[in-house]
Amino acid sequence: MSDRITHECGIALVRLLKPLSYYQEKYGSPLWGFTKLFLLMEKQHNRGQDGAGVACVKLDVPPGEAFMFRERSVKANPLDKIFKTLLGQYNDQVDAGVIHPEFPDTVRKSFDFGGELLMGHLRYGTSGGYNMSSCHPFFRRSPWPTRNLALCGNFNLTNTTELNASLTAMGQHPIFATDTQAVLEKIGFYLDEEHEDLYRAMRTQGLPGDEISRRISEELDLTRVITRAAHRWDGGYTLCGLTGNGDAFVARDPSGIRPCFYFRNDEVIAFASERAPLMTVFDLEAEQVSELTPGHVFVVKHHGKITETPFTPALPRTSCSFERIYFSRGNDLEIYRERKALGAQLCDQVLESIGHDWTNTVFGFIPNTAEVAYYGLMSALRERRRTEVKSAIMAASAEGRLTETLLDDLILNNWPRSEKVVSKDIKLRTFIGQENLRNQLASHVYDITYGSVNPGDNLVCVDDSIVRGTTLRRSILRILARLHPRKIVIVSTAPQIRYPDCYGIDMSELGKFIAFEAAVELLKERGQGDLLQEVYQLCREEVARKEKAAVNHVRKIYDPFTPEEISAKIAEHVKPKANGWTGETEIIFQKIENLHAALPLHTGDWYFTGKYPTPGGYRVVNQAYINYYEKHEGRSY
């Protein structure tokens, strides 16, 4: 993706089912679980570099000793910083003779993360800034183990204001910060209620304090807690939580918007946002990894009992298609096939754009996430060319004009040409994590390979998606023009991004979408500018309704135009200013029907079609237009 957008965070959870001594004896390290957590997070580092955090709970800790721990960082390379810090503490204890690795009890007693239950989070900041207070896991403390809560997640909720209002109505004084804080307090409220109900019932039985604590830990029902807390949640989410007694839960939204996978055997239960990291870290086959069912909560009690139960009414499945197009790592077997299919689906549009000129066209991609789709496009082009060559040979043979010269022309001179045209300075990328610096440095992130394109060639570059067009305008097209092609064709494996997202991608400002800019400009050029005021009034009425919003009025902005008309206007917007290059620029976007053909099981396409899976999405899109029209910046949810 040439434009950076913030989106999916990453989660990891490891629950050891044996004592630490088991892993010391079998695997040679009492830190086997700790290491697996690090590897699961490292294999998902694509999901967040704005911050990282880990938490640990030790089971059956005697009174007077700590049982719950946390470490977080928002510095550069936060994951490395966390694990280097923790391993440094461990090694210091070993050097001091406090910890003896061959005796796991010393590890468990003296190393904070020498526990059986470990949880980690990788953060892309979508709200709350980039400071430590916005970094997961969030903690809720109590002297009662069963009332302690650590929470992290990969989620956005659309109705945080409503959730905070419900907390206020309960008598709480919530801090209006992030949706994470609202969810933490909501779960915490019902966790307290569950605890209090159990406590009062047992106290009336005259049980001693230690027995009350033990019984509460046994009977605490996290499924009931999540069911009650999630009653009004609207959004996409995968949530992980730990309680101080060693219970753990993982919950997924009922539409399956956010991904979640897990593996279990008699040694460990592990969760991650992606399947491939679990396969790599635990050396698994694909069929050994399960997907958490949407709308279900998976609970592991401290004594090891496991349940997976519905906690909210089911909704039609609308798993995020952007997850497959861009955010998940492409080494998952299904995602790899899907991204190749996305590239292959563009074959006809690309050939039409270049006039089937095989001889004078070079194909490349804009690294790195578009690479797999590029392979898919190249495979489809080669297959198409083989078919054409076969037909031409058969026809020439039948007509008696098959010659060596013709064969050379058909086979050797007209084969799809691929080059490494664009490369990305990965080292520089670490300095542009925050957008205020990105604009200054964007023009230097990409480099071209001089000589890879002959002057007068067509140059086709595959990108995975185009959101704002900023990097195309400021960097990519400008540097590609230095190669002096006849025509530059940028090919997006995603359709035009037209509408805000409030479930994953943090892009809720309509005015920043280049497709929206293009549509508005076309309306004004064609004397239909009054539609902007009409849509504004409709959006205000929709947001003001007491019923939940159900209509996306912003679709009217796009209705007068074909996708090709909007693409042509986008090409005008991003074409580099005159700098000696006078070639043509064309932008090609994936067709919606081809997107669905490539991703048949991931139908969440609201950013392209405006069809949202929950009422919160419709409220957000209408509010986003109101903000645009009234010139208010900021999130619309």
Side-chain angles (χ1 to χ4, degrees), residues 109-125:
K109 180 177 178 61
S110 300
F111 179 49
D112 288 352
F113 281 76
E116 297 86 354
L117 185 53
L118 302 128
M119 181 173 74
H121 184 262
L122 296 150
R123 182 173 188 267
Y124 257 141

Side-chain angles (χ1 to χ4, degrees), residues 264-279:
R264 57 182 285 198
N265 62 13
D266 62 344
E267 296 180 344
V268 65
I269 301 170
F271 282 82
S273 291
E274 299 182 25
R275 174 171 53 185
L278 288 165
M279 294 174 63

Side-chain angles (χ1 to χ4, degrees), residues 149 151 183-191 225-226 229 233 249:
L149 176 64
L151 183 72
V183 170
L184 178 78
E185 298 302 339
K186 196 77 170 176
I187 296 174
F189 175 85
Y190 289 107
L191 182 65
V225 170
I226 299 303
W233 293 351
F249 69 86

Side-chain angles (χ1 to χ4, degrees), residues 44-57:
Q44 299 181 95
H45 71 267
N46 53 297
R47 305 187 72 85
Q49 292 106 39
D50 293 331
V54 292
C56 175
V57 173

Side-chain angles (χ1 to χ4, degrees), residues 498-520:
R498 298 180 168 194
Y499 305 99
D501 181 51
C502 47
Y503 309 113
I505 310 165
D506 188 44
M507 48 179 199
S508 64
E509 294 182 73
L510 267 173
K512 292 185 177 180
F513 298 160
I514 195 165
F516 182 78
E517 289 182 52
V520 169

Side-chain angles (χ1 to χ4, degrees), residues 483-554:
L483 297 171
H484 303 288
R486 182 187 70 81
K487 181 179 184 180
I488 298 174
V489 184
I490 302 296
V491 186
S492 170
T493 68
Q496 295 167 5
I497 297 175
R498 298 180 168 194
Y499 305 99
D501 181 51
C502 47
Y503 309 113
I505 310 165
D506 188 44
M507 48 179 199
S508 64
E509 294 182 73
L510 267 173
K512 292 185 177 180
F513 298 160
I514 195 165
F516 182 78
E517 289 182 52
V520 169
E521 188 169 332
L522 284 170
L523 284 174
K524 293 177 178 178
E525 287 177 357
R526 300 183 186 184
Q528 297 174 277
D530 290 348
L531 183 60
L532 299 174
Q533 168 69 21
E534 177 187 331
V535 171
Y536 171 66
Q537 293 299 334
L538 290 170
C539 288
R540 284 180 58 90
E541 292 168 9
E542 189 73 23
V543 170
R545 291 174 58 212
K546 291 184 179 180
E547 299 84 2
K548 291 183 177 180
V551 179
N552 175 2
H553 295 291
V554 181

Side-chain angles (χ1 to χ4, degrees), residues 351-615:
L351 286 176
E352 182 180 350
S353 173
I354 63 173
H356 291 255
D357 186 354
W358 302 97
T359 302
N360 301 301
T361 301
V362 173
F363 299 92
F365 62 92
I366 303 171
N368 290 327
T369 52
E371 185 174 6
V372 175
Y374 162 77
Y375 293 144
L377 174 61
M378 295 306 295
S379 293
L381 290 169
R382 289 167 183 147
E383 183 176 345
R384 182 68 57 85
R385 184 57 189 156
R386 281 194 294 269
T387 301
E388 291 180 358
V389 168
K390 178 182 176 181
S391 298
I393 290 173
M394 295 297 290
S397 177
E399 296 166 8
R401 55 184 179 82
L402 185 63
T403 64
E404 185 175 344
T405 301
L406 178 61
L407 285 174
D408 285 344
D409 183 58
L410 288 172
I411 298 172
L412 301 180
N413 299 330
N414 288 282
W415 194 245
R417 292 164 54 199
S418 60
E419 301 286 353
K420 180 74 170 179
V421 179
V422 184
S423 58
K424 191 171 186 179
D425 191 333
I426 299 298
K427 291 180 291 184
L428 188 58
R429 186 177 187 271
T430 62
F431 295 99
I432 59 170
Q434 298 189 25
E435 197 162 347
N436 59 337
L437 296 178
R438 177 179 175 80
N439 291 338
Q440 301 174 36
L441 299 172
S443 62
H444 301 286
V445 173
Y446 293 94
D447 291 320
I448 52 170
T449 304
Y450 294 96
S452 59
V453 177
N454 298 322
D457 282 341
N458 300 308
L459 173 56
V460 177
C461 279
V462 179
D463 197 351
D464 41 46
S465 58
I466 300 167
V467 185
R468 304 179 182 100
T470 305
T471 308
L472 283 178
R473 272 186 281 223
R474 295 179 179 174
S475 177
I476 291 173
L477 287 171
R478 186 173 59 80
I479 63 172
L480 291 179
R482 296 177 193 165
L483 297 171
H484 303 288
R486 182 187 70 81
K487 181 179 184 180
I488 298 174
V489 184
I490 302 296
V491 186
S492 170
T493 68
Q496 295 167 5
I497 297 175
R498 298 180 168 194
Y499 305 99
D501 181 51
C502 47
Y503 309 113
I505 310 165
D506 188 44
M507 48 179 199
S508 64
E509 294 182 73
L510 267 173
K512 292 185 177 180
F513 298 160
I514 195 165
F516 182 78
E517 289 182 52
V520 169
E521 188 169 332
L522 284 170
L523 284 174
K524 293 177 178 178
E525 287 177 357
R526 300 183 186 184
Q528 297 174 277
D530 290 348
L531 183 60
L532 299 174
Q533 168 69 21
E534 177 187 331
V535 171
Y536 171 66
Q537 293 299 334
L538 290 170
C539 288
R540 284 180 58 90
E541 292 168 9
E542 189 73 23
V543 170
R545 291 174 58 212
K546 291 184 179 180
E547 299 84 2
K548 291 183 177 180
V551 179
N552 175 2
H553 295 291
V554 181
R555 298 179 72 177
K556 293 179 181 292
I557 301 293
Y558 298 98
D559 286 346
F561 314 112
T562 66
E564 290 74 21
E565 288 176 307
I566 293 175
S567 294
K569 181 58 67 175
I570 290 172
E572 289 181 25
H573 273 264
V574 300
K575 185 172 183 176
K577 295 179 180 178
N579 60 350
W581 180 67
T582 57
E584 182 184 350
T585 302
E586 184 175 357
I587 309 294
I588 293 174
F589 290 90
Q590 187 78 259
K591 294 180 179 179
I592 294 292
E593 58 269 26
N594 290 342
L595 171 77
H596 292 159
L599 308 176
L601 301 179
H602 294 78
T603 58
D605 63 359
W606 49 88
Y607 7 74
F608 313 126
T609 64
K611 298 175 182 178
Y612 289 88
T614 75

